Amino acid sequence: MRIFFPLLILIATGCNGSVEEKTIDFKTNLLEIKLLETIPVNPRYTQLIASDSGEYLLLLNDFKDKFQFLELPSGGIAHEITIQREGENGISGFNAGTVTGWDSLWVTNRPPSLVLTNFSGEVLKKVTIIDDQTPLTVIRSDFDRRMHQYGNKIFGSQPLFMDHHGMNKDAIQKQRLVFSLDVNTGDVEWYDVFYREDYWDNGKKPSGYSWTEKDGKLYIAPWHDHEIQVFDLASGTVTNRKEVKSNHVNKPDYVNEILPMEKALANSFSSDRYKSLLYDKYRNVFYRFFLPSFDPEILEEEYNHLDLEFSRPYSGVMVLDSELNIIGEHIFDKFQVYSLNNHFVGEKGLYISANNPFNPEYNEDMLRYLIFTPELREE
């Protein structure tokens, strides 16, 4: 099945400075990949790998404790990396990982460390990550916050507050968000990158951010704040900070105390937040996902609230130019896409999972991606 239709959206308001009015066409196609074995239809980690021999989707198959390289678009498995939990090559506290080059897979581990394996699953290097300002209990690499290599350094993230409910506001400026590991020397360096000073002025917003890389710079986009910071990998400094507000993100979620699950979910549903930030090198634009608030009582059917948190009914995406100016925004139809994870950028556009479990066309036997392609037209 294929879908193709244009959506015309005028430039959204809310960016800094005047922006020339533009019209953007959002075109979509549906890609369906038949699964040849048991694979999660929404893997918690995906990474598109382009090579001379074709495109491969690296995914984490939690059903089998393996990383798998799927050929696109056939779905055939070209290679597998088994995650070993014990023994000489064991990674007992495995979280997730990033391919940074041929035969190089870096994974995050617990207690906090970075582990380098080859594509045979052999552990080649393991380095403990210590922050002398904040005792760390965990570091994580996720689908929208993968590690990046620049020169001989691997850059990783630490977006989580280590003591959210026990912290005072002043402690925010002690919890650094970015570190690097020098592959040659084993030295770990932390950088002065923080959530901004007024992050908790009106209440304790949760932590969490997404990042993406463009031309030697990391673009850091908090889930609960409009600002995007630009971090220069060469100098190790923040070179720009810009307010990039969606028209649909207006009500933050404040978590001032530990709440019962149902109350916490109700607060989450009634607030707005951002999710992934991705760079599209083929069109020189950024995509910033957002999750608008909704009322579960008016969804026409009764859903388990915890399931709704992971499979939100509504999500949207902002399209930003290379200077982070807003070009346009689009909200997808109810349950049209699954926006928690399982999306990536390819030559054809932004691939977003269409396998929302509440979508009538949800299919456990295939990977289903809505290919979202913006085309800018000057007026």
Side-chain angles (χ1 to χ4, degrees):
M1 179 175 68
R2 292 177 61 82
I3 300 174
F4 181 86
F5 58 90
L7 299 171
L8 300 182
I9 296 183
L10 290 179
I11 183 77
T13 59
C15 49
N16 294 332
S18 61
V19 178
E20 182 182 353
E21 186 174 286
K22 303 177 178 68
T23 301
I24 188 168
D25 292 341
F26 291 148
K27 298 180 179 179
T28 65
N29 286 278
L30 188 67
L31 171 65
E32 296 182 330
I33 303 170
K34 180 70 175 177
L35 294 176
L36 304 180
E37 64 170 73
T38 304
I39 292 174
V41 295
N42 286 310
R44 63 185 174 95
Y45 186 84
T46 51
Q47 180 184 348
L48 187 66
I49 308 292
S51 72
D52 293 339
S53 59
E55 286 189 331
Y56 301 87
L57 183 63
L58 171 70
L59 59 84
L60 179 57
N61 187 339
D62 282 315
F63 295 154
K64 299 191 173 184
D65 235 10
K66 293 180 178 181
F67 281 100
Q68 296 177 316
F69 292 82
L70 266 65
E71 297 176 337
L72 294 181
S74 70
I77 297 176
H79 186 69
E80 297 181 327
I81 306 172
T82 300
I83 302 163
Q84 302 180 57
R85 302 287 180 171
E86 299 178 349
E88 180 182 358
N89 294 302
I91 308 173
S92 58
F94 166 84
N95 171 246
T98 304
V99 167
T100 59
W102 176 249
D103 215 22
S104 295
L105 171 67
W106 287 91
V107 302
T108 49
N109 191 34
R110 189 175 59 250
S113 58
L114 292 187
V115 180
L116 173 64
T117 74
N118 60 22
F119 286 1
S120 298
E122 300 170 325
V123 171
L124 306 179
K125 187 187 298 284
K126 182 176 181 179
V127 180
T128 300
I129 304 299
I130 297 174
D131 182 350
D132 58 5
Q133 280 192 186
T134 303
L136 297 179
T137 58
V138 63
I139 58 170
R140 299 182 63 181
S141 171
D142 283 309
F143 69 99
D144 64 345
R145 203 168 45 248
R146 68 181 183 89
M147 287 172 277
H148 294 273
Q149 181 162 7
Y150 185 81
N152 61 336
K153 291 184 177 181
I154 300 293
F155 285 82
S157 66
Q158 174 34 47
L160 304 177
F161 291 140
M162 291 293 98
D163 185 19
H164 181 279
H165 295 294
M167 286 171 52
N168 294 321
K169 177 187 170 184
D170 293 346
I172 292 177
Q173 297 302 306
K174 297 178 182 178
Q175 302 216 14
R176 295 172 289 193
L177 305 181
V178 181
F179 70 90
S180 70
L181 166 67
D182 189 305
V183 177
N184 295 333
T185 65
D187 293 336
V188 175
E189 182 176 2
W190 287 86
Y191 302 91
D192 289 333
V193 186
F194 309 92
Y195 294 106
R196 62 181 180 180
E197 294 79 358
D198 62 355
Y199 193 71
W200 275 6
D201 274 7
N202 297 312
K204 286 190 171 184
K205 294 188 290 187
S207 55
Y209 69 77
S210 175
W211 70 9
T212 191
E213 190 269 341
K214 172 185 179 290
D215 297 336
K217 294 179 172 58
L218 287 175
Y219 291 73
I220 301 170
W223 295 341
H224 301 276
D225 195 73
H226 308 302
E227 184 182 76
I228 295 178
Q229 298 187 55
V230 183
F231 175 77
D232 182 67
L233 293 169
S235 65
T237 60
V238 173
T239 58
N240 190 24
R241 301 170 69 164
K242 185 165 184 175
E243 192 87 351
V244 185
K245 182 187 179 306
S246 166
N247 287 330
H248 305 280
V249 179
N250 300 296
K251 295 178 290 184
D253 187 11
Y254 297 112
V255 186
N256 296 318
E257 58 184 333
I258 299 176
L259 298 172
M261 176 66 74
E262 281 300 317
K263 177 61 175 174
L265 290 173
N267 285 358
S268 175
F269 297 159
S270 62
S271 62
D272 315 310
R273 69 178 184 267
Y274 300 99
K275 284 297 289 181
S276 302
L277 178 73
L278 299 97
Y279 175 62
D280 183 341
K281 66 180 182 180
Y282 303 101
R283 293 158 194 84
N284 196 23
V285 299
F286 294 89
Y287 306 110
R288 191 180 195 184
F289 282 79
F290 58 86
L291 301 176
S293 58
F294 68 97
D295 183 352
E297 301 302 321
I298 61 173
L299 289 179
E300 300 173 355
E301 296 183 37
E302 186 173 338
Y303 299 95
N304 179 285
H305 284 192
L306 186 57
D307 291 338
L308 280 181
E309 177 66 5
F310 291 102
S311 303
R312 299 287 285 249
Y314 299 105
S315 60
V317 64
M318 309 168 69
V319 181
L320 315 175
D321 69 15
S322 60
E323 301 300 321
L324 300 177
N325 298 309
I326 301 171
I327 300 173
E329 303 189 58
H330 175 63
I331 293 183
F332 298 99
D333 292 339
K334 185 172 69 173
F335 296 127
Q336 183 181 8
V337 298
Y338 179 83
S339 55
L340 181 65
N341 53 30
N342 193 18
H343 40 258
F344 53 89
V345 172
E347 190 170 358
K348 294 182 179 179
L350 173 62
Y351 290 66
I352 311 168
S353 173
N355 257 339
N356 188 310
F358 300 125
N359 187 320
E361 297 185 23
Y362 174 80
N363 191 328
E364 293 185 346
D365 296 325
M366 60 179 59
L367 299 175
R368 302 175 66 248
Y369 290 103
L370 187 76
I371 306 175
F372 179 87
T373 310
E375 295 184 356
L376 188 63
R377 293 190 288 113
E378 298 287 346
E379 292 295 308

